[in-house]
Amino acid sequence: MSGETALLTFGIGPVHSFIAQARRVADVWAGSHLLSHLIRQAMRTAREQGGEMVFPFLGPEEHIPAGVPNRFVCRVPAERATEIAKDMEEAVRTTWDGIVKTAVWNVLRYHGLFPSPELWSEEPQPGRLRQTDALLDFAWSWVPESEGYARASIEGARRFAASRWFRPFEPAEALWEKCAICGERTALPNGIRDHVQAAWVAAEAKAKDTTLARYFRIDQGRLCLVCAAKRLYTDTEKQKGNFLALDRFQPSDEEPYLALVKMDGDRMGGILSLPRTAVQDDNLEAFHKTVSRALLDFAAEIRKDGSVDLDVETLGYVPRGQGPQLIYAGGDDVLFVCDPRDALPLVKILRERYVKAFDKARELLLKEEDRERFTISAGILFAHSSHPAGLLLRDLEEILEVGAKARAGRDAVALSLAKRSGAPEEAAFQWSDGKAPEGGWIAALDQIVEQLRKGEISSRQTFTLRLEERTLQKVFEDDLERWRLWLADRLSRNEAAEGQAGDLAAAIAPFFLHDHAAALRIARFLGREAER
Ligand SMILES: [Zn+2]
């Protein structure tokens, strides 16, 4: 690029409500897929205008991957930076507008759900915001590279963090019947309660026995135009197979439980804002490229093109339940849904892959303590599939942020089992915990799950000894041997198979000793109740 260049950071939000306003797991995927699609339009526009992708780093001809983070950095001619950013914003708006129009004209109109003029019109009306206009926030900022990449990169991150998100004012729609998914916007076609109900019942009847039936189920119906367009986008974009694949994780008598798993790189922001003096040859740009390449490779490895299957073959894993489905993989984030019994082993494999992906990047760092920053934390939520997916996602984010990151101190995995009644069971483990049994906590826990599954343990009381657990913790304190003997005695009476009480006691004693007994109750659930 000739002439002065600038680093332009561009982002679309609000990520959280965009994805978490969802009733079904498939809606979470649809929202996430759509957000990636919109971000890709902005990236394409930047390239068409002569920009280069800096983070994620992509070569000029390189294909933009399916999962992309909701913000990115590109290099553009400084004199046109503002103009290019505005064009990117416009490209995203136009794409979203097109998706809405397709949903309205190709589907909703035929099902008696054409939006009333108060909610939406084909073209924007002066002084009136359409329901779909207020969905997207944009933020962007740029910094000239006149003093080099390193300075512009660090100043760019600072400036972007301080930049305001441009969001149109959303009109209050207080009086009207609300959408069943977002609960915020007025339901189609016009928000008048009787009309809304009648229209959705009629639409469901009309869609029955057609390929659109899944999109119109009335128990989940009564949608606003935004939520309807998001869901229908997967149909109009020929992604229906993927929507239906994810929809397999919805309530059924045979498979009432699912596991939702989110993994997120620890300290990625801190890693990317290291000063150039922390890296080899002061070459911050080379370091950022290497980190970006590692992230792209990590995500590409677990994703299958055009499919929502998590690529278990590449991971060398054979699922115990139905195939895990990838909701999102991009940047340092992974979100997937799977059979409860597959969550622990998958998280262990993915964490190993993640750490290994940064082998090259680690070599570029001068200080040992910086090299240890490339860790990833995970949250796993075991829940009944009848819970609204958006609420599950919110709980999962809390498990990850509070359980694994804040409480367990990152480089950790936090588990939560939410049954239909009673308080959730929660446990968290650090991957590098020196007190863990050989092979680590997660492997040890999974081993116990397997033993339960094969019936080698009868799992009656020992796994639910809340009261004894607390009393004995004071008595036995940190004496592993006393725990082991006590548990062996207890198990030998009626729970373990003949002659196995000793081995089993040795396996579970560390969980009692280190106050992780709740994990055993989760193991019991995984080995017994999740097993059919
Ligand atoms: Zn809605």
Side-chain angles (χ1 to χ4, degrees), residues 240-449:
K240 194 182 314 196
N242 287 337
F243 187 88
L244 296 178
L246 279 152
D247 222 27
R248 289 207 313 264
F249 283 95
Q250 279 329 110
S252 78
D253 294 336
E254 292 132 57
E255 306 194 31
Y257 285 94
L258 55 78
L260 207 54
V261 182
K262 183 166 174 162
M263 301 179 76
D264 177 40
D266 299 314
R267 309 182 183 89
M268 193 44 79
I271 289 168
L272 294 174
S273 49
L274 284 170
R276 66 178 173 190
T277 49
V279 307
Q280 216 172 67
D281 304 327
D282 281 3
N283 192 341
L284 201 59
E285 186 167 9
F287 174 67
H288 286 179
K289 272 184 188 174
T290 310
V291 170
S292 172
R293 182 52 59 196
L295 288 169
L296 289 165
D297 290 349
F298 170 71
E301 225 173 39
I302 56 181
R303 192 192 304 124
K304 276 180 167 175
D305 268 346
S307 157
V308 289
D309 294 344
L310 186 77
D311 192 345
V312 287
E313 286 102 56
T314 306
L315 298 177
Y317 180 69
V318 181
R320 295 170 186 162
Q322 61 173 313
Q325 306 280 295
L326 191 61
I327 299 172
Y328 176 78
D332 57 341
D333 264 353
V334 181
L335 178 65
F336 64 93
V337 60
C338 65
D339 183 285
R341 295 163 297 168
D342 289 319
L344 295 176
L346 279 172
V347 159
K348 184 170 179 292
I349 295 171
L350 288 171
R351 184 255 176 181
E352 281 159 12
R353 292 259 167 174
Y354 184 85
V355 172
K356 194 163 169 25
F358 291 99
D359 280 351
K360 279 195 188 135
R362 253 189 301 274
E363 282 171 26
L364 297 178
L365 289 172
L366 303 177
K367 289 191 202 133
E368 187 54 38
E369 71 244 38
D370 286 338
R371 290 190 203 126
E372 283 164 12
R373 288 171 178 243
F374 294 101
T375 59
I376 190 164
S377 292
I380 306 178
L381 175 61
F382 302 104
H384 202 272
S385 57
S386 61
H387 289 292
L391 296 181
L392 293 181
L393 193 65
R394 208 174 61 192
D395 290 349
L396 178 65
E397 272 157 12
E398 192 176 310
I399 292 161
L400 177 61
E401 293 307 322
V402 179
K405 299 213 175 192
R407 290 217 189 104
R410 300 196 179 103
D411 191 21
V413 51
L415 321 172
S416 178
L417 166 61
K419 304 235 276 188
R420 293 190 96 168
S421 58
E425 298 285 0
E426 290 177 342
F429 303 97
Q430 234 182 358
W431 290 108
S432 54
D433 184 356
K435 294 178 194 138
E438 206 183 324
W441 287 111
I442 294 301
L445 196 62
D446 194 45
Q447 180 70 32
I448 294 169
V449 172

Side-chain angles (χ1 to χ4, degrees), residues 89-164:
E89 202 179 309
E90 190 53 36
V92 174
R93 281 191 210 284
T94 308
T95 305
W96 167 234
D97 215 33
I99 288 166
V100 171
K101 279 179 192 161
T102 308
V104 168
W105 291 109
N106 293 6
V107 181
L108 295 171
R109 164 167 76 129
Y110 296 114
H111 290 81
L113 293 167
F114 196 92
S116 69
E118 291 79 27
L119 299 185
W120 185 81
S121 53
E122 175 99 37
E123 298 306 325
Q125 308 288 325
R128 173 186 276 181
L129 206 57
R130 298 173 298 177
Q131 190 169 54
T132 49
D133 288 337
L135 176 69
L136 300 169
D137 292 355
F138 296 91
W140 48 264
S141 62
W142 56 270
V143 179
E145 278 190 293
S146 45
E147 291 177 66
Y149 173 85
R151 277 207 123 157
S153 166
I154 286 163
E155 173 62 14
R158 196 197 62 74
R159 210 174 277 187
F160 185 80
S163 65
R164 291 186 41 165

Side-chain angles (χ1 to χ4, degrees), residues 26 50 55-56 86 168 216 223 259 284 305 319 352 365 416 450 483 496 515:
F55 204 96
K86 285 183 177 164
F216 281 100
L223 308 185
L284 201 59
D305 268 346
E352 281 159 12
L365 289 172
S416 178
E450 278 297 274
W483 272 112
D515 201 11

Side-chain angles (χ1 to χ4, degrees), residues 179 181-183 185 224 227:
C179 166
I181 289 189
C182 64
R185 290 173 286 262
C224 69
C227 295

